[in-house]
Amino acid sequence: MGDMLSQAEIDALLSGALSAEDEQQASEPVDNTVLTPHEIDALGEIGNISMGTSATTLYTLLGQKVTITTPKVSVTTWEQLSKEYPHPYVAVKIQYTNGLTGDNLMILQEQDVQIITDLMMGGDGKVEKAAELSEMHLSAISEAMNQMIGSAATSLSSMFGKRVDISPPESQLIQFSKDSGRIQFENEHEIVKVEFSLTVGNLIDSLIMQLLPVPFARELVESLYRSDDVKEKSKEIIPQQRPDTQPVAPVQESIGAQQPQPQQTYNRPQPQPMYNQQAAAAYEPAMPPPSQPYYNPVNVQPAQFQSFDAMAPMPDAQNIGLLMDVPLQITVELGRTSKKIREILEFGQGSIIELDKLAGEPVDILVNGKNIAKGEVVVIDESFGVRITDIIHPSKRL
C-alpha cells in the first residue's frame, strides 16, 4: 500500500500539475498576438531567400563552403535576450534607406567574427579562443555584412518589385545585459528574432540572429503581399492580350461581308493551352460558305536593303549640334594596382603604393570610362595638366 498514490497526488496529476521546468517556461512572457502565423511564415520565406544570396556572397569572400539553414522566427524582448544570451556578441547595425524604412541588427558570436575576418585576410581561419576583437576585426566584419546584406537587398528588390538600398553597416561589441540601451530600437519593447544556423566549412557551426522592430517586420510582409497581388493581377491580364490573334478580327469582318473563303482551304487557328476555350472562341472567324470563290490580291514588291559597301560615304550628321552641350567626365589615369584587404588595412600616412606603370610612361586619358587617348603629364602655372600625344584608333578601343 506504501507504493500507491494518494487521492491528492492523483488529482494533481489529472489537473496537469507543472514540473519545475514547466513552471519556468510558463513564467516566461510569450505573446503570440504580435505577429500572425501568416506573417511569421512570410518573414521566414523572406529570410530564407535573402540569406540564400548572402551565403553565396560569403562563400565568395571566404573561399569556404557556406550553409545557412531555414530561419526560425519568433517574438521576444530585450530582457529575454539578456537572459538567453549572457555572453558578449558582435552587433552589426544595418539601416534600409530606400524602398524600405527601418533598422535591423545582425548578431554574431565573437569567435565566429574572428574566424570570418581571419579568412578574409588570407588566413586559415584557426584562431585562438582567448584573442580579443580589435577595430580591424570590426571593420572587416562590417565590410562582409555590407556585401552580404547588399546582395540580400538585391534579392528583396527582385522580390518586392522595387529598389531596396542599405547604408554602410556599423559593428560594435555588445553584451545584452549591459548594452541593450545602445542598440535597442526606439519605442520598441517587443522585437522579432529571426534565427539562422550558420556553417562555414569545418570552422564554424553556430547560430546568427537577425533582430527586427515589429513595424519594420510588418512592412516586409506587406511589401511581399503587395508584390504577390501585382503578379496575380498581371497573370489575369495576360489571357486578354492576344497579340498573335488580334489581326484576325478585321479579316473576319471582311471575309463574312464581302469575299467569303472556301472552307476546304481555310486553316483554323488552334487556341493555345494557356488560354481558356471561351476566350479562344471569341477570336475564331466564322466559316464562310464554300459556294463562292475567294480571291485575295496581294501587291508583291522586291525587298530593298541598304548597301554594305565599305566605300559608300556615310551620311552627314544633321543634328550633331544638339549634342555639343552634353557634359562628359574626363579622367587621367596614372596607373593601377591590386591589393588584398590585409594590405589595405595596413595603410597609414606616408605609405607608398607602387603602380603598374614605369616613370615617364604615357598616362591614359578616359572619357566616361573609355580609354580614347594617351598623353604626358605637364605643369601649367601651379596646376597639373596632360598633353595628348596619341589618339587611340576606334578599332583598338574595343
Side-chain angles (χ1 to χ4, degrees):
M1 296 293 293
D3 295 336
M4 297 180 62
L5 297 175
S6 64
Q7 185 63 38
E9 292 174 337
I10 294 175
D11 294 337
L13 291 175
L14 293 177
S15 61
L18 298 176
S19 62
E21 181 180 359
D22 294 335
E23 290 177 355
Q24 181 180 2
Q25 294 179 357
S27 62
E28 297 176 354
V30 178
D31 190 355
N32 295 325
T33 62
V34 176
L35 295 177
T36 65
H38 293 290
E39 291 175 332
I40 292 177
D41 292 340
L43 288 174
E45 182 64 22
I46 294 172
N48 191 25
I49 295 177
S50 59
M51 281 300 167
T53 57
S54 298
T56 304
T57 303
L58 191 59
Y59 164 76
T60 305
L61 291 175
L62 306 183
Q64 297 277 341
K65 181 181 178 181
V66 178
T67 303
I68 300 180
T69 60
T70 303
K72 180 181 178 181
V73 182
S74 61
V75 178
T76 185
T77 61
W78 294 107
E79 293 80 4
Q80 190 66 26
L81 289 175
S82 302
K83 298 177 182 178
E84 295 179 359
Y85 306 100
H87 302 291
Y89 289 86
V90 175
V92 184
K93 183 179 180 181
I94 300 118
Q95 182 178 10
Y96 287 82
T97 58
N98 187 23
L100 298 171
T101 304
D103 301 336
N104 63 18
L105 290 172
M106 295 295 296
I107 308 298
L108 299 93
Q109 295 187 17
E110 191 175 1
Q111 186 178 4
D112 297 344
V113 172
Q114 293 177 349
I115 296 174
I116 291 174
T117 53
D118 186 71
L119 291 173
M120 291 177 62
M121 297 177 187
D124 56 2
K126 298 179 181 179
V127 298
E128 298 180 0
K129 294 184 179 180
E132 296 183 358
L133 289 179
S134 62
E135 290 295 331
M136 182 177 62
H137 291 93
L138 297 178
S139 298
I141 198 63
S142 295
E143 178 60 25
M145 288 295 108
N146 187 25
Q147 299 204 26
M148 288 178 60
I149 306 302
S151 62
T154 304
S155 299
L156 294 179
S157 301
S158 177
M159 190 188 312
F160 298 157
K162 60 182 179 181
R163 181 174 177 177
V164 177
D165 295 330
I166 63 170
S167 63
E170 301 176 0
S171 301
Q172 54 183 322
L173 186 63
I174 58 99
Q175 196 166 356
F176 285 109
S177 58
K178 300 178 181 179
D179 304 320
S180 60
R182 287 194 293 124
I183 63 174
Q184 66 183 7
F185 310 113
E186 295 182 359
N187 303 325
E188 290 295 329
H189 175 70
E190 295 169 324
I191 54 177
V192 179
K193 180 180 71 173
V194 186
E195 197 173 43
F196 303 88
S197 176
L198 172 66
T199 303
V200 178
N202 57 356
L203 300 172
I204 298 177
D205 188 5
S206 64
L207 299 175
I208 60 175
M209 289 187 301
Q210 183 180 18
L211 303 180
L212 309 169
V214 175
F216 182 65
R218 290 199 177 111
E219 183 180 357
L220 289 173
V221 175
E222 291 175 359
S223 298
L224 179 63
Y225 288 163
R226 195 179 302 115
S227 64
D228 290 341
D229 292 341
V230 172
K231 293 177 182 178
E232 290 297 330
K233 291 181 180 179
S234 63
K235 290 181 181 180
E236 296 175 359
I237 296 175
I238 288 176
Q240 301 176 6
Q241 297 176 352
R242 300 279 308 271
D244 55 333
T245 56
Q246 289 296 333
V248 176
V251 174
Q252 173 184 351
E253 181 179 357
S254 61
I255 292 176
Q258 298 178 3
Q259 298 175 344
Q261 180 184 2
Q263 183 176 0
Q264 62 272 17
T265 61
Y266 182 80
N267 295 324
R268 176 180 299 178
Q270 297 296 329
Q272 298 295 329
M274 66 180 294
Y275 307 114
N276 55 50
Q277 297 294 334
Q278 296 179 356
Y283 292 91
E284 291 183 1
M287 291 295 99
S291 58
Q292 299 180 7
Y294 173 73
Y295 301 100
N296 185 15
V298 179
N299 185 14
V300 179
Q301 297 179 355
Q304 301 291 333
F305 297 100
Q306 182 180 359
S307 175
F308 289 93
D309 187 2
M311 300 302 295
M314 297 295 293
D316 296 335
Q318 299 293 334
N319 298 323
I320 190 64
L322 298 175
L323 305 176
M324 291 301 182
D325 294 332
V326 176
L328 299 177
Q329 185 72 29
I330 299 180
T331 305
V332 178
E333 186 177 283
L334 182 62
R336 296 187 180 187
T337 187
S338 177
K339 297 290 183 182
K340 295 182 179 179
I341 295 180
R342 177 177 63 254
E343 298 171 334
I344 294 176
L345 293 175
E346 294 175 355
F347 284 171
Q349 187 174 0
S351 300
I352 298 176
I353 303 175
E354 184 179 356
L355 304 178
D356 58 353
K357 286 191 176 183
L358 301 176
E361 189 174 351
V363 296
D364 294 328
I365 302 174
L366 295 83
V367 175
N368 280 8
K370 299 294 184 180
N371 191 359
I372 66 165
K374 292 184 178 295
E376 58 182 4
V377 179
V378 296
V379 177
I380 305 174
D381 294 335
E382 296 182 357
S383 302
F384 283 109
V386 60
R387 178 187 291 114
I388 297 177
T389 59
D390 184 25
I391 300 294
I392 299 177
H393 193 272
S395 62
K396 296 181 180 181
R397 297 174 192 170
L398 299 177

